[in-house]
């Protein structure tokens, strides 16, 4: 049984008190639901006696008022409360249907709304109280499909009555097993003992020579570079355009796609275009909240989440069709990746979250920075015990801290990053903090590479890409 964070100790905004009570009493609601379901089915022949114009608004109004009171229900029209520990996922500011995201704060509160407890931590907490966990496996582990937004405001009860469904929780369509990828990164991850990828934050310019020059030092020592997609919610040159330049220059870029900025129409079109332009590797991200970036007034999209994005791209590749079923002439040959956060405050939940991403289609995992090998080991022991390292290649995220001040800023401002005090103190005392940051990074690399199941490293050297070569050489990974 997973050990769950207690909703009882949560910091609860007044508006969320009943919602929190419902999560704490998820077993009660489960019993109610089990009693209510046959009644709905029983009511089916009766409601057909009345005109739809009468029954629909009436049922919708009753459902809305009850569920809004107890669950802060948003009437998405595809209710999954019985699979999410009675915590409505539509209260997540990123509308994640397969959560939590990687940005949960150290106190269990939301990355986007710091005064609200993460609804997905509540969901796991509620799910642990429900009997369906013991009887049928964890329903919260069910991979949810992209939400049909045209159902917004409609009654899920009527769906159950009309379709005689046994549960409104939809599951991701299971598609055929993936073919081996022709991506060079796939080949290296399968043939090399340590594969290196690095994060590239390209300059905002229209000059291709500057874009290629900026990546040069990374390309010399790494097997592939990730090009960020509006990292941190900030406006930058697109990942697609920079990856295209890199692919045309004979490199093997990893294009990042964030669900924050585009809906499923734009994402599928962009991914297909990327494949046509020679890009094979795609890293799927839910994306940081808008509030963290330079355009807090922008509209966050979050039509998909990381898992439903993975499923969408996998369907395009393996089934040769868009999510609508419309066929694709010459399907893309994507090598699909996803992210993980080994420092997540609930490692058990994080492992299950990655398992879902792998089930959805992730073939490689690149992690957020992890500055503490002991914390990493706790997470990775669970991860390998689950056999996930055999299902997707795992690259640990590392990077140099330029100073104690920079480390403190990262810890306070980048969601999901934890940096131990001892490490910041070590930097503070150092004569040359930049050099000390590189030494720490090399020591972390050595510690991680001693662990079985690590396929490589993902190096993130924000604003100091020139240090990647030194780190790699000092760690003895390249000459
Ligand atoms: S922390 Fe992430 S998953 Fe949790 S409620 Fe906030 S945005 Fe949603």
């Amino acid at each position: 049984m997973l050990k769950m964070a207690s909703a009882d100790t949560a910091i609860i905004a007044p508006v969320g008190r009943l919602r929190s009570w419902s999560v704490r009493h998820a077993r009660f609601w489960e019993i109610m639901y089990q009693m209510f379901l046959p009644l709905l089915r029983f009511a089916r022949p009766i409601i057909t006696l009345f005109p739809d114009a009468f029954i629909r608004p009436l049922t919708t109004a009753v459902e809305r008022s009850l569920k809004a009171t107890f669950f802060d229900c948003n009437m998405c029209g595809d209710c999954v409360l019985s699979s999410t520990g009675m915590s409505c996922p539509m209260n997540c500011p990123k509308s994640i249907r397969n959560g939590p995201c990687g940005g949960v704060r150290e106190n269990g509160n939301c990355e986007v709304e710091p005064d609200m407890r993460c609804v997905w931590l509540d969901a796991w907490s509620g799910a642990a109280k429900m009997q369906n966990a013991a009887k049928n496996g964890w329903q919260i582990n069910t991979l949810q499909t992209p939400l049909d937004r045209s159902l917004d405001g409609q009654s899920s009860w009527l769906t159950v009555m009309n379709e005689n469904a046994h549960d409104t929780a939809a599951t991701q369509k299971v598609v055929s097993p993936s073919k081996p990828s022709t991506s060079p990164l796939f080949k290296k991850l399968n043939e090399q003992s340590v594969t290196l990828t690095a994060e590239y934050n390209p300059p905002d310019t229209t000059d291709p020579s500057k874009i290629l020059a900026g990546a040069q030092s990374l390309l010399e020592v790494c097997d592939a570079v990730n090009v960020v997609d509006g990292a941190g919610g900030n406006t930058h040159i697109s990942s697609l355009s920079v990856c295209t330049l890199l692919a045309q220059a004979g490199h093997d870029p990893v294009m990042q796609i964030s669900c924050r900025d585009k809906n499923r129409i734009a994402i599928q079109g962009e991914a297909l275009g990327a494949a046509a332009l020679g890009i094979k590797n795609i890293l799927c991200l839910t994306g940081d909240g808008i509030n963290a970036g330079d355009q807090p007034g922008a509209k966050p999209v979050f039509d998909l989440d990381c898992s439903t994005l993975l499923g969408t791209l996998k369907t395009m590749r393996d089934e040769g069709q868009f999510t609508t079923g419309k066929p694709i002439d010459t399907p893309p040959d994507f090598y699909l990746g996803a992210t993980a956060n080994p420092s997540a405050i609930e490692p058990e939940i994080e492992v299950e979250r990655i398992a879902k991403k792998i089930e959805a289609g992730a073939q490689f995992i690149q992690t957020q920075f992890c500055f503490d090998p002991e914390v990493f080991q706790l997470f990775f022991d669970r991860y390998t015990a689950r056999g996930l390292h055999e299902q997707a290649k795992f690259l640990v995220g590392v990077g140099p801290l330029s100073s104690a001040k920079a480390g403190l800023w990262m810890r306070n401002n980048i969601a999901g990053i934890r940096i131990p005090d001892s490490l910041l103190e070590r930097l503070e005392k150092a004569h040359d903090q930049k050099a000390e940051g590189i030494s720490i990074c090399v020591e972390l690399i050595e510690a991680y590479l001693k662990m079985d199941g690590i396929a490589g490293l993902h190096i993130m050297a924000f604003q100091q890409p020139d240090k990647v070569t030194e780190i790699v050489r000092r760690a003895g990974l390249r000459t």
Side-chain angles (χ1 to χ4, degrees):
M1 176 66 75
L2 298 178
K3 183 175 96 25
M4 291 300 147
S6 164
D8 310 45
T9 56
I11 297 168
I12 305 157
V15 71
R17 282 190 196 281
L18 260 181
R19 180 209 301 180
S20 186
W21 181 90
S22 295
V23 169
R24 289 200 305 275
H25 297 85
R27 177 64 188 136
F28 163 78
W29 285 115
E30 183 182 34
I31 294 166
M32 295 295 284
Y33 179 69
Q34 283 161 353
M35 285 161 53
F36 184 55
L37 208 54
L39 283 180
L40 277 183
R41 291 186 190 136
F42 177 75
R44 192 180 174 208
I46 301 166
I47 63 160
T48 54
L49 302 174
F50 297 90
D52 189 65
F54 169 71
I55 281 294
R56 187 165 294 278
L58 180 70
T59 313
T60 306
V62 175
E63 180 178 342
R64 186 192 299 277
S65 64
L66 264 173
K67 284 161 90 175
T69 305
F70 289 102
F71 309 107
D72 284 347
C73 168
N74 287 263
M75 293 295 281
C76 70
D78 185 10
C79 184
V80 288
L81 278 169
S82 60
S83 298
T84 56
M86 299 299 166
S87 173
C88 174
M90 302 317 291
N91 288 310
C92 161
K94 297 184 189 173
S95 308
I96 294 176
R97 303 283 283 185
N98 297 281
C101 72
V104 183
R105 291 169 189 267
E106 213 154 354
N107 62 359
N109 282 10
C110 172
E111 170 200 334
V112 182
E113 293 185 24
D115 294 331
M116 179 184 88
R117 184 172 167 80
C118 168
V119 298
W120 270 99
L121 285 194
D122 272 355
W124 282 88
S125 172
K129 295 179 166 71
M130 292 169 73
Q131 210 178 55
N132 67 27
K135 264 172 64 183
N136 309 318
W138 286 68
Q139 282 192 23
I140 198 165
N141 280 334
T142 304
L143 194 54
Q144 302 294 336
T145 49
L147 179 63
D148 180 349
R149 311 272 167 185
S150 70
L151 299 176
D152 191 30
Q154 294 190 30
S155 163
S156 296
W157 292 353
L158 277 177
T159 307
V160 174
M161 279 191 257
N162 290 334
E163 293 178 2
N164 204 16
H166 52 85
D167 196 323
T168 52
T171 55
Q172 188 93 36
K173 187 182 162 203
V174 176
V175 294
S176 52
S178 312
K179 288 178 251 157
S181 172
T182 57
S183 144
L185 178 61
F186 168 84
K187 196 167 182 295
K188 287 174 179 170
L189 277 165
N190 281 283
E191 291 177 358
Q192 296 179 167
S193 57
V194 181
T195 296
L196 302 178
T197 60
E199 195 162 278
Y200 180 38
N201 293 271
D204 293 316
T205 174
T206 56
D207 184 345
S209 64
K210 287 184 184 159
I211 291 169
L212 291 171
Q216 199 49 43
S217 62
L218 305 177
L219 293 163
E220 278 166 13
V221 290
C222 295
D223 298 295
V225 293
N226 282 47
V227 182
V228 297
D229 180 27
N234 295 297
T235 313
H236 290 297
I237 188 168
S238 73
S239 184
L240 171 64
S241 56
V242 175
C243 286
T244 302
L245 288 171
L246 290 169
Q248 287 171 351
H251 303 295
D252 183 33
V254 179
M255 185 172 100
Q256 296 192 179
I257 300 181
S258 157
C259 299
R260 178 193 56 233
D261 306 323
K262 298 170 211 97
N263 70 10
R264 68 193 78 179
I265 301 171
I267 286 177
Q268 289 176 88
E270 181 172 299
L272 195 60
L277 291 163
I279 297 160
K280 293 190 183 293
N281 313 306
I282 297 189
L283 184 80
C284 299
L285 303 119
T286 299
D288 302 310
I290 291 278
N291 55 325
D294 61 0
Q295 308 262 350
K299 179 173 172 39
V301 180
F302 295 117
D303 182 28
L304 303 176
D305 61 31
C306 176
S307 295
T308 52
L309 170 58
L310 283 161
T312 298
L313 300 184
K314 187 170 189 271
T315 300
M316 288 173 69
R317 181 191 64 200
D318 295 351
E319 302 291 295
Q321 59 185 30
F322 294 110
T323 47
T324 53
K326 192 165 66 172
I328 298 169
D329 175 37
T330 316
D333 175 25
F334 295 137
Y335 185 44
L336 298 175
T339 55
N341 184 4
S343 314
I345 58 164
E346 296 284 355
E348 302 93 339
I349 294 177
E350 184 63 8
V351 168
E352 294 308 317
R353 188 175 83 98
I354 304 169
K356 250 192 190 188
K357 291 183 181 183
I358 293 173
E359 186 191 345
Q363 297 161 291
F364 68 94
I365 302 292
Q366 292 173 315
T367 82
Q368 180 57 284
F369 291 106
C370 189
F371 290 102
D372 190 333
E374 282 178 28
V375 168
F376 181 83
Q377 185 83 63
L378 277 174
F379 157 84
F380 204 56
D381 283 349
R382 289 183 171 89
Y383 187 83
T384 50
R386 196 77 163 64
L388 298 178
H389 62 301
E390 288 162 357
Q391 297 171 37
K393 297 294 178 187
F394 192 92
L395 297 102
V396 194
V398 292
L401 291 171
S402 56
S403 65
K405 195 174 159 202
L408 195 61
W409 184 90
M410 275 174 78
R411 190 168 78 175
N412 292 339
N413 293 284
I414 303 182
I417 291 194
R418 329 239 181 265
I419 305 177
D421 287 339
S422 57
L423 201 148
L424 294 179
E425 280 159 21
R426 179 175 158 189
L427 277 170
E428 183 91 66
K429 287 181 192 149
H431 172 63
D432 181 343
Q433 296 199 12
K434 230 175 202 172
E436 194 68 8
I438 291 172
S439 297
I440 291 169
C441 184
V442 172
E443 288 167 27
L444 288 171
I445 289 173
E446 287 165 353
Y448 294 140
L449 291 182
K450 283 188 190 133
M451 300 176 192
D452 285 340
I454 304 290
L457 300 160
H458 180 55
I459 307 171
M460 294 164 279
F462 184 62
Q463 288 184 337
Q464 38 180 354
D466 51 314
K467 300 296 177 207
V468 172
T469 310
E470 187 182 342
I471 291 166
V472 168
R473 296 211 167 117
R474 274 186 55 188
L477 298 170
R478 299 286 188 273
T479 49

